[in-house]
Each structure stands twice: as C-alpha cells, then as structure tokens.
Amino acid sequence: MEIKQLEYFVQIVDCGTFSAAAQKSYITQSALSKIIKKLELELGTDLLYSQGKNTVPTDTGKILYFQAKKILHECNVTKNKIEELKGNPSGPLRITVSGPWNRMARVYHMITDFIQIYPDIVLTVSRMDSNVYREQLAIGAADIAIVCGVHPDDHQFDCFSLIKSHYYLILPKEHPLTEKKLIEWEDILDLPLVLFTPTFQLYHTVTENFHRLGASPKIRMTSDQPDLLLHVAAKNHWCTIWGDPLLENDRMQYDMASIPMNIPNDFTLLRRKESYASQAERVFMKFVKSNWKQYKDS
C-alpha cells in the first residue's frame, strides 16, 4: 500500500466520481481505475461501488477512508516539520471566510500582500456560511476560520478579534424605527423579517434573542444571498438584519436605511486549540497580528 494510492482513493471518495477525481488529480480516469483496482487486489476486498451516478465506499472502503485521512494528515505534519527545519516558509494553508463584504475586502487585501511576501505558501481560501466553521476546524478540513458572529460557547478555539461592531437592522427609509439611534429586540418583535439561513450564526442570534423574550421571529424568507435578501426586503417593505450597515450604493439603489442594534458582533480569526500548527499557519498568524491594524484602519 502506497501513500499515493491512499491519496487517490481519498480523492475519489471526496469527489464522488472517478471522473471528477481524475480531473482534480491531473491523471486519466483509466489510470486512476487501474490504481484502485491494484489496491483492491492487494487488500483482497472491494473498496468502492457505483450508486447511481456516484461512486461510494463499501464498508471496508469506509474503514480505509478514515484511516487514510489520518495517515495523510500525519504525512503532512511530518512534511511541515521538515520544512520548518529547512527554514523556508512553505506548504499549504486552508482558510475559510465568512462576513460582510466591507470587512472581507480588508481580509482579501491582507491575503494578497501575504502571498506576495511568502510565495512558497499556497493558500486555499473558501467562502462558507458562518456556522460551518466549527465543523471545518474540528475535522481538520480548514486550518483557520475568519467569520462574523462567533458563538459565545466556542471555547475550543483560539480567537483573535479583528473588528468589533454591532448588528444592523436594514429597513425602509420611511419606517418609523429609522428615528431611533439604537434598535432593541423588543422593537422588532412584530416586524416581518428576511434572514440569512440557519447555516449563518446570525440566524441563531436572532432566534435566541426572540426566544429569550418569549417570542418567535416572523421570518418570511431565508437565503444565503445578501443581494436577494436586500431586494426582497426593499420590494415588500420588510426588514433584514446584517452584520454591517449598507454600503452607500445599496442605500441609494434600494432606498433602505441601516440602524445599529443593541447587540455587538465580533469579526474574528479562529483556529483549533491545541492542534498542530504548521509553519504556514504560524507565519500567517504572526503576519495578521503584526499587520491587521493597518488593514482595519484603511
């Protein structure tokens, strides 16, 4: 059994088909099939089978998949430790991000500068819903998460606060609540709301605060698309809740206003506590802590 065989096998399970895995691995599908067939002959058991258009692992294939993930992780740890001894900042770094555009723009500027300074560190940056970061960090699918709205019970992560702000109620400019300087939860108990989906921490923040007051939010629609939320809210004279105020162009286009709410939110960088930090991860963390203020203030 070879490491490369395990890498190809894991790739097939993750991609769901031989063709997708072959394309991602830059080899032909027939070559990939021969590699897996050789592995099955060596182990004396079938590892994969077809289920509709997908390829899924057998019971023994599932065992191999989880063990192979552990083996490949340890191989990466070993490789990173060797690279550290060579004194050359390199290796992969996986970051998941989620947050309002005006905050993410600062993160993207910082990442652009980082990869120019450290060209041998290869970043994979995935934009995901804010409530997904726990699973991604816990299973080792991401090294770092940068999210808006961190759950207060996330003690299993090391946190570095980037920006402290408030949630904002987005509502029609002619709405009576626009006269208020700060919105309380009691002010919106009867308002029709369009919210981000439950995969966002903001959804749970809203529902938990409503339940604390013995009420349920009047949710008319959920979506993971901010443009759609804003469009629907504007057309129906409903309200939505965001992690940041509207940008000037959106305020003018949709004739909506942004009023801060009485609950803060934190734009935060997180990593799993007590997990091995690769050289690439440590270099990135040091870069962020040393330089974030200039990006924050820009």
Side-chain angles (χ1 to χ4, degrees):
M1 189 185 304
E2 301 174 358
I3 294 298
K4 204 63 182 175
Q5 287 177 310
L6 298 180
E7 289 179 348
Y8 286 136
F9 176 74
V10 168
Q11 191 76 270
I12 293 168
V13 176
D14 287 343
C15 291
T17 64
F18 271 84
S19 59
Q23 185 176 8
K24 196 167 184 178
S25 301
Y26 301 103
I27 64 172
T28 64
Q29 186 172 339
S30 61
L32 185 57
S33 297
K34 291 178 181 178
I35 291 171
I36 299 304
K37 180 56 67 176
K38 181 180 178 182
L39 181 59
E40 289 178 327
L41 289 173
E42 181 181 345
L43 296 175
T45 183
D46 292 333
L47 299 173
L48 300 166
Y49 71 97
S50 296
Q51 189 177 72
K53 295 182 179 180
N54 297 323
T55 300
V56 297
T58 62
D59 289 340
T60 51
K62 290 176 182 177
I63 294 173
L64 178 62
Y65 175 76
F66 288 113
Q67 293 300 319
K69 294 277 281 190
K70 293 178 183 178
I71 293 169
L72 295 175
H73 173 73
E74 290 302 321
C75 287
N76 284 331
V77 170
T78 302
K79 181 179 178 182
N80 287 328
K81 286 183 177 179
I82 293 173
E83 289 296 330
E84 289 175 19
L85 293 177
K86 293 162 59 178
N88 179 32
S90 62
L93 181 62
R94 301 159 302 170
I95 303 175
T96 176
V97 299
S98 176
W101 167 247
N102 53 349
R103 297 191 197 184
M104 291 314 309
R106 303 174 197 183
V107 172
Y108 296 152
H109 291 160
M110 179 178 67
I111 288 174
T112 299
D113 292 342
F114 177 80
I115 61 178
Q116 289 177 344
I117 296 172
Y118 300 101
D120 293 328
I121 294 178
V122 180
L123 268 68
T124 301
V125 181
S126 304
R127 190 167 178 87
M128 298 185 179
D129 299 347
S130 59
N131 233 29
V132 179
Y133 71 88
R134 294 185 189 86
E135 178 184 353
Q136 294 293 305
L137 291 175
I139 66 175
D143 303 307
I144 289 172
I146 300 175
V147 298
C148 178
V150 177
H151 195 278
D153 296 329
D154 280 342
H155 305 303
Q156 71 268 39
F157 302 119
D158 288 322
C159 303
F160 176 67
S161 178
L162 301 174
I163 299 174
K164 293 185 181 294
S165 183
H166 286 268
Y167 287 110
Y168 282 78
L169 181 67
I170 313 298
L171 69 172
K173 286 183 179 178
E174 69 275 10
H175 198 286
L177 286 178
T178 56
E179 298 178 1
K180 293 181 68 72
K181 298 296 183 183
L182 191 69
I183 300 294
E184 306 286 339
W185 289 106
E186 291 84 352
D187 296 328
I188 64 172
L189 290 180
D190 296 321
L191 295 185
L193 299 173
V194 290
L195 298 177
F196 286 99
T197 61
T199 53
F200 288 79
Q201 177 58 36
L202 177 53
Y203 177 93
H204 301 280
T205 298
V206 172
T207 55
E208 287 167 7
N209 278 278
F210 268 78
H211 294 162
R212 179 177 54 83
L213 296 173
S216 296
K218 293 178 171 55
I219 301 173
R220 304 303 302 272
M221 186 190 78
T222 61
S223 174
D224 62 356
Q225 301 299 315
D227 290 345
L228 178 59
L229 288 178
L230 187 56
H231 179 81
V232 170
K235 290 294 182 181
N236 292 280
H237 300 285
W238 294 341
C239 301
T240 184
I241 299 174
W242 285 13
D244 262 349
L246 290 178
L247 298 176
E248 181 63 29
N249 287 343
D250 288 331
R251 285 201 300 269
M252 295 177 62
Q253 179 180 350
Y254 292 101
D255 202 32
M256 302 285 275
S258 309
I259 311 296
M261 301 188 67
N262 69 336
I263 183 169
N265 70 57
D266 213 344
F267 190 50
T268 308
L269 184 151
L270 307 100
R271 67 172 302 274
R272 190 172 42 152
K273 281 184 179 178
E274 301 176 359
S275 63
Y276 171 75
S278 68
Q279 183 187 38
E281 186 178 340
R282 292 203 302 273
V283 169
F284 182 78
M285 291 293 296
K286 182 177 180 181
F287 181 85
V288 172
K289 292 180 178 180
S290 300
N291 298 282
W292 174 249
K293 188 177 186 303
Q294 73 183 63
Y295 297 101
K296 175 183 174 182
D297 296 338
S298 63

